[in-house]
Amino acid sequence: SMDKEPFQQNRINQRTTLHAFGIVTARPFEVAPGHVLRLRYVLDATVPRSDAVQRELDLYGDLLWLPDSHTCLGKVLVAIRHSTTLSFPVDAIAFTDDDAFIHPGRF
């Protein structure tokens, strides 16, 4: 995801769709017994935050600012690296784009 209006709108559309499933993206949600999904949008930490994206972060809490994530491959690599530092176990990671819609029940 990027800190630009079309990408912000895509994230809002995704959140609206997930909300219809009863999912709040900032919180973990169970997709199957014993399987929890945490959704985060990765943005490049080296890019200054706009006021709009800061408001988005404050409102939703699902943006993850990581260094060296200015390309698609960079986001994947830093997200995998970041997952090794979490205080909870990570069994799997799924990647999608901000203009794609996921169906949580199919995870």
Side-chain angles (χ1 to χ4, degrees), residues 26-80:
R27 295 185 216 136
F29 51 94
E30 192 170 60
V31 292
H35 298 280
V36 174
L37 180 63
R38 288 175 173 85
L39 177 68
R40 297 293 179 264
Y41 298 97
V42 176
L43 292 110
D44 190 357
T46 61
V47 176
R49 294 182 196 183
S50 69
D51 291 341
V53 103
Q54 184 61 50
R55 283 190 302 274
E56 184 181 356
L57 175 61
D58 295 341
L59 182 62
Y60 299 106
D62 57 6
L63 301 179
L64 185 59
W65 295 86
L66 297 174
D68 303 319
S69 58
H70 51 275
T71 65
C72 291
L73 178 59
K75 287 178 182 147
V76 170
L77 295 175
V78 299
I80 291 170

